[in-house]
């Protein structure tokens, strides 16, 4: 079965609305003929409506980098699923390692957010990955499986089809150290095997598993041609239109 790849751009805390608009205007012509893969931009919340408007009618979707699990409430600084949808976004990142590291996002919160995203018809990109100490201690598989079990707790296989998983080894994020295609492919195999156990073999076969961590134009093709790698979550190299376009058009 062939899975349509997703190239996702995580802009993190970069770009004002004006900068985001300028990016989209330069980027769209560079990927206008791209039908092989899906493309999604994840701007900051303040640029969401600008990017939605600028990408209208194009082959580029828009998502938020983080979403709260509650319908609404006294959660200062947070964004709800309803707000995300009303702004015209269709995707959300969940459990990015920076959220886990700096904002105490636990597997329990990831799970709550995943339930909310699926209930609300938002495509969730669930991020998992081991830190360097865990890899060096030979615990990568354990860590990935624990994160997956936490994230998918109580998710019915029938509801799981929209889920996208991003494998992002934390030691490769923003460091310039990319996992080799073999290391990434190995982790993706582990993840797919675990998804078969937790959800179902059919979901394991269809779920898209993205690789993230210092993806750039120079290494995109070696990573994205691996059988179990179904796209990329790109941080630093997604901030320039030509660089992201080169990854999309690898
Ligand atoms: P990077 O970030 O491409 O800058 O390593 C990836 C990510 O954090 O999603």
């Amino acid at each position: 079965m062939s899975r349509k790849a997703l190239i996702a751009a995580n802009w993190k805390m970069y770009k004002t609305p004006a900068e985001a608009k300028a990016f989209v205007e330069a980027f769209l012509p560079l990927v206008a003929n791209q039908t092989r893969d899906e493309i999604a931009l994840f701007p900051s919340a303040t640029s969401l409506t600008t990017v939605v408007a600028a990408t209208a009618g194009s082959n580029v979707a828009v998502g938020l980098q983080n979403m709260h699990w509650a319908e609404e409430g006294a959660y200062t600084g947070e964004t709800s699923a309803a707000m995300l949808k009303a702004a015209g976004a269709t995707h959300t990142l969940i459990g990015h390692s920076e959220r886990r590291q700096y904002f105490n996002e636990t597997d329990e919160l990831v799970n709550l957010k995943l339930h909310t995203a699926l209930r609300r018809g938002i495509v969730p990109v669930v991020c998992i990955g081991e830190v360097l100490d865990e890899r060096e201690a030979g615990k990568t598989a354990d860590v990935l499986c624990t994160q997956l079990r936490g994230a998918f707790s109580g998710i019915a296989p029938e509801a799981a089809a929209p889920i996208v998983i991003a494998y992002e080894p934390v030691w490769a994020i923003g460091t310039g150290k990319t996992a080799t295609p073999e290391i990434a492919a190995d982790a993706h195999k582990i993840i797919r095997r675990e998804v078969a156990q937790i959800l179902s073999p059919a979901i394991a076969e269809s779920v898209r598993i993205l690789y993230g961590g210092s993806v750039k134009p120079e290494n995109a093709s070696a990573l994205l041609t691996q059988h179990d790698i179904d796209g990329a979550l790109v941080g630093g190299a997604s901030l320039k239109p030509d660089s992201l376009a080169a990854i999309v058009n690898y």
Side-chain angles (χ1 to χ4, degrees), residues 1 7 58 62-63 80 88 109 114 128 159 211 218 235 245:
M1 153 170 202
I7 308 296
S58 78
V62 184
S80 72
L109 283 172
L114 182 56
I128 60 173
Y211 168 78
E218 302 79 59

Side-chain angles (χ1 to χ4, degrees), residues 113-163:
K113 292 178 180 197
L114 182 56
H115 277 277
T116 300
L118 292 174
R119 193 170 62 245
R120 285 300 200 139
I122 295 164
V123 178
V125 180
V126 179
C127 305
I128 60 173
E130 81 286 359
V131 301
L132 188 59
D133 284 355
E134 293 164 340
R135 171 157 291 271
E136 287 176 344
K139 291 188 184 148
T140 298
D142 281 354
V143 169
L144 298 178
C145 294
T146 301
Q147 289 175 337
L148 286 170
R149 290 201 173 266
F152 294 161
S153 175
I155 301 289
E158 310 79 66
I163 295 174

Side-chain angles (χ1 to χ4, degrees), residues 36-224:
R36 180 190 55 200
D37 302 342
E38 287 174 23
I39 308 166
L41 303 177
F42 293 79
S44 67
T46 56
S47 291
L48 200 58
T49 52
T50 302
V51 174
V52 166
T55 54
S58 78
N59 53 342
V60 174
V62 184
L64 203 54
Q65 297 170 16
N66 175 41
M67 182 196 83
H68 200 273
W69 51 268
E71 291 296 307
E72 61 182 1
Y75 298 105
T76 301
E78 294 287 330
T79 309
S80 72
M83 293 167 184
L84 179 157
K85 289 193 83 170
T90 48
H91 293 55
T92 186
L93 302 183
I94 297 180
H96 188 279
S97 68
E98 286 150 16
R99 302 283 325 161
R100 293 179 189 257
Q101 184 180 352
Y102 303 123
F103 304 100
N104 298 322
E105 198 150 311
T106 60
D107 287 338
E108 289 72 36
L109 283 172
V110 168
N111 177 246
L112 285 169
K113 292 178 180 197
L114 182 56
H115 277 277
T116 300
L118 292 174
R119 193 170 62 245
R120 285 300 200 139
I122 295 164
V123 178
V125 180
V126 179
C127 305
I128 60 173
E130 81 286 359
V131 301
L132 188 59
D133 284 355
E134 293 164 340
R135 171 157 291 271
E136 287 176 344
K139 291 188 184 148
T140 298
D142 281 354
V143 169
L144 298 178
C145 294
T146 301
Q147 289 175 337
L148 286 170
R149 290 201 173 266
F152 294 161
S153 175
I155 301 289
E158 310 79 66
I163 295 174
V164 178
I165 298 169
Y167 168 61
E168 297 204 301
V170 179
W171 48 271
I173 295 178
T175 58
K177 283 189 211 149
T178 320
T180 62
E182 293 72 32
I183 288 179
D186 265 4
H188 284 224
K189 273 204 199 78
I190 292 168
I191 292 166
R192 215 175 283 288
R193 214 182 308 134
E194 191 65 13
V195 171
Q197 297 279 324
I198 307 172
L199 293 169
S200 74
I203 293 292
E205 187 53 33
S206 65
V207 71
R208 289 177 292 177
I209 307 176
L210 318 184
Y211 168 78
S214 299
V215 175
K216 36 189 182 259
E218 302 79 59
N219 59 26
S221 154
L223 288 161
L224 292 168

